[in-house]
Amino acid sequence: MTPMLGATTLEYALLGLFHQKPHSGYELRRVFAETPLKYFSDSPGAIYPALRRLVARGWIIASAPEGGRRRRELRLSGPGREAFIDWLRRPVTRDDVDPDTALLLRFAFMGQALPAAEIPKFIEDYSREMRAQLKALQGYYDENAATWPLTGRLAFEHGLALHETKLAWARGAARALKQPKAQP
Amino acid sequence: MTPMLGATTLEYALLGLFHQKPHSGYELRRVFAETPLKYFSDSPGAIYPALRRLVARGWIIASAPEGGRRRRELRLSGPGREAFIDWLRRPVTRDDVDPDTALLLRFAFMGQALPAAEIPKFIEDYSREMRAQLKALQGYYDENAATWPLTGRLAFEHGLALHETKLAWARGAARALKQPKAQP
DNA sequence: GGCATCATGTAAATCGTTACATGATTGC
DNA sequence: GCAATCATGTAACGATTTACATGATGCC
């Protein structure tokens, strides 16, 4: 994966989980193995080195193992919390929106870590950049698709449909964020 | 990226471009830099080593530079063509459908490389596996979403919406493939 | 002649993958 | 006591990224 300015997406995903509560390495592996967060691998060769990097950077701290257990509980530090919040607040750039996996991970964590007033801005930025991206793709399609075989055209339309769905999602999300809290 | 049983997705993408016509390394970099295929990086440190691997495997062949030019034209070999077709024909598995980038790349190339009769099968497999994936995600959502903050719920719904769009796309693609060739 | 662009590469660093190793607990 | 699973790691390897290096061509 891409270095992402300072830390990998996996590292920020870990910080996000630590933001909720302390975890052991094994617990984190289970999360990645058993929930739809399996976008990240549960391989020890990925997780343990990532945890070591976070410890080395001072972003997480190891607690002494409780009650003779062999389990190492790790928890977020102050600087780690800061780095996590900075990541959540990063501006949404053109290059981020496609693919937008890391962006959606950030959005998912925002609800518990940022004041509600900051969140609609993310959706606005996301919409703007996604709209620009879609427009560029449509332009490319209009100019070139005529010469493509059918499967090439359909594959491109797959991409266009996804971008349109993402824009529609952003509209719905903006609406949902405006609602006063309760609502079935 | 993942080794993918024998070759990387980048390597197959290169084979697909060679299947259309011979290219130089620089041309390929331009394709990745300037078209929506920019999912792949145009960095020389990715492309040239990948080309070297393909040459070493005997899947592409270097032609002598034409007319004193410094440019090296590379073209597909017989075994390379076979390996490419084998890749196109791979069964669609559960693990392939999310993310499905490599799958869509395969589909895009199929129109020029496989007999038309083989293509609907791909769409059927894709639909089946995608439907299973969507059902699993919906089950997880129904069981867990109640405890999540709003942004977490919305982020998950983003994923659900994409899966639904992909299924709808597959239905449309199946229809389009049934049409007799001409149709505006 | 000089400068942008064409064109092909290499080097160092980093990250993730697969596979292996090892020991402690828990349930039967 | 034994097997499954809890729990933490290491080692070898492969691929990609960024940055650097180098020379040729075409244009003004």
Side-chain angles (χ1 to χ4, degrees):
Chain A
M1 298 285 133
T2 323
M4 292 314 272
L5 276 93
T8 63
T9 307
L10 172 60
E11 284 165 7
Y12 285 115
L14 291 170
L15 288 188
L17 295 173
F18 283 129
H19 185 263
Q20 304 172 338
K21 63 183 178 64
H23 290 280
S24 69
Y26 190 74
E27 273 174 9
L28 297 164
R29 289 187 59 202
R30 306 310 299 272
V31 171
F32 292 143
E34 293 166 6
T35 73
L37 224 58
K38 51 175 136 261
Y39 168 75
F40 298 103
S41 110
D42 63 333
S43 69
I47 303 227
Y48 289 109
L51 291 174
R52 210 180 308 137
R53 292 195 295 273
L54 292 173
V55 170
R57 224 178 272 138
W59 287 0
I60 58 174
I61 305 169
S63 313
E66 294 255 333
R69 286 237 172 260
R70 226 168 63 81
R71 211 163 167 197
R72 255 191 354 138
E73 284 285 320
L74 299 156
R75 59 176 214 279
L76 200 57
S77 72
R81 190 191 172 86
E82 269 180 55
F84 177 62
I85 302 289
D86 286 349
W87 176 67
L88 292 184
R89 287 202 169 120
R90 276 198 200 156
V92 177
T93 72
R94 193 77 28 126
D95 291 345
D96 288 335
V97 294
D98 190 26
D100 54 7
T101 325
L103 246 29
L104 265 292
L105 185 68
R106 279 171 55 192
F107 182 73
F109 283 136
M110 282 182 189
Q112 356 159 347
L114 291 187
E118 284 189 48
I119 295 173
K121 165 122 172 34
F122 176 90
I123 296 289
E124 283 162 35
D125 293 352
Y126 178 87
S127 293
R128 186 187 58 249
E129 299 302 325
M130 188 61 73
R131 186 151 27 234
Q133 181 79 8
L134 173 58
K135 205 175 163 183
L137 286 175
Q138 266 163 346
Y140 188 86
Y141 181 83
D142 292 342
E143 280 190 17
N144 299 282
T147 69
W148 297 342
L150 179 57
T151 59
R153 224 153 51 228
L154 288 170
F156 203 101
E157 287 166 11
H158 181 277
L160 290 175
L162 293 192
H163 280 75
E164 280 158 12
T165 296
K166 289 172 184 188
L167 270 176
W169 171 83
R171 279 191 293 273
R175 219 176 306 124
L177 289 167
K178 263 184 214 135
Q179 304 288 325
K181 269 186 191 161
Q183 182 92 341
Chain B
M1 296 285 136
T2 325
M4 293 313 272
L5 277 92
T8 63
T9 307
L10 171 61
E11 283 166 7
Y12 285 116
L14 292 170
L15 287 188
L17 295 173
F18 283 128
H19 185 264
Q20 304 171 337
K21 64 182 176 65
H23 290 280
S24 68
Y26 190 73
E27 273 173 9
L28 296 165
R29 289 186 58 201
R30 306 310 300 272
V31 171
F32 292 143
E34 292 165 7
T35 74
L37 224 58
K38 51 176 135 262
Y39 168 75
F40 298 103
S41 111
D42 63 331
S43 68
I47 303 230
Y48 288 110
L51 291 173
R52 209 181 309 136
R53 291 194 296 271
L54 291 173
V55 169
R57 224 176 273 141
W59 288 0
I60 59 174
I61 304 168
S63 313
E66 294 253 335
R69 285 239 171 259
R70 225 168 63 81
R71 210 165 171 199
R72 260 194 347 142
E73 285 284 319
L74 299 156
R75 60 175 212 281
L76 201 58
S77 73
R81 191 190 172 84
E82 269 180 56
F84 176 62
I85 302 289
D86 286 349
W87 177 68
L88 292 184
R89 288 202 170 119
R90 276 199 200 156
V92 177
T93 72
R94 193 77 27 125
D95 290 346
D96 288 334
V97 295
D98 189 26
D100 55 8
T101 326
L103 245 30
L104 265 291
L105 185 68
R106 278 171 57 192
F107 182 73
F109 283 136
M110 283 183 189
Q112 358 160 345
L114 291 187
E118 284 190 46
I119 295 173
K121 166 124 173 31
F122 176 90
I123 296 288
E124 283 161 35
D125 292 352
Y126 178 87
S127 293
R128 187 188 57 249
E129 299 302 326
M130 187 63 73
R131 185 151 28 232
Q133 181 80 12
L134 174 57
K135 204 174 162 184
L137 286 176
Q138 266 163 345
Y140 188 86
Y141 182 82
D142 292 342
E143 281 191 15
N144 299 282
T147 68
W148 298 343
L150 179 57
T151 60
R153 225 153 50 226
L154 288 170
F156 203 101
E157 288 166 11
H158 181 277
L160 290 175
L162 293 192
H163 280 73
E164 280 158 10
T165 297
K166 289 172 185 189
L167 270 177
W169 171 84
R171 279 192 291 275
R175 218 177 305 123
L177 288 167
K178 266 186 211 131
Q179 304 288 325
K181 270 186 190 160
Q183 181 91 343

